[in-house]
Structure formats: structure tokens, C-alpha cells
Amino acid sequence: MSAKLPTVDVFLITYIKDFPWIPYLMRSIELHVTGMRRLVLVLEKQDPVPENLPSWVVVKRCRQYRDTDIAGY
């Protein structure tokens, strides 16, 4: 009997300047990652949701850190 591998969620905190790279990340995950249930994409509340996200991506919002005195994530 083979051991059952765990299923995990992956959390990704991203900024709007990362958006051009997100399609490459999603494709790489599809090709190389196993045991992942979903990817939780964390965006600041003012940023738009990237286009064409796969169904296994869940978007969550955090407060705005950019252009404030708060240090950030």
C-alpha cells in the first residue's frame, strides 16, 4: 500500500507589478505541482483581480499597504 500524500493550499501574496508573470506561474503550477488543492492569491484591496485565473485560484483581499506608512505584509 502506498502512502497517501497530503493536500495543501498555497498562499501567494502579490503586487500589481507581478501581474505580467502570473500566467507563467499558473502554467508552471499546472505542469509541476501535485498535492495542491487551491492557490490563495492575496491582493491589496485596491488592486484589480488578474484576468483568466484558473478555477483553482481563490482571491482574498488585504488592506492597502502601498503608499502608506505601514511597513506592508
Side-chain angles (χ1 to χ4, degrees):
M1 179 185 336
S2 64
K4 185 175 179 186
L5 296 175
T7 300
V8 298
D9 291 345
V10 174
F11 285 79
L12 173 65
I13 299 169
T14 190
Y15 296 94
I16 198 159
K17 290 182 179 181
D18 298 331
F19 283 17
W21 297 101
I22 289 177
Y24 299 103
L25 172 66
M26 298 304 157
R27 182 66 178 142
S28 181
I29 288 172
E30 289 173 340
L31 291 173
H32 304 290
V33 176
T34 59
M36 185 186 79
R37 178 177 50 185
R38 65 183 175 175
L39 182 135
V40 180
L41 184 66
V42 181
L43 302 169
E44 288 188 12
K45 67 181 182 179
Q46 78 278 5
D47 291 339
V49 175
E51 296 180 7
N52 303 318
L53 294 175
S55 61
W56 41 267
V57 175
V58 176
V59 175
K60 297 291 181 178
R61 299 295 187 156
C62 70
R63 66 185 296 174
Q64 178 177 340
Y65 292 100
R66 193 169 56 250
D67 301 324
T68 70
D69 293 335
I70 303 167
Y73 303 114

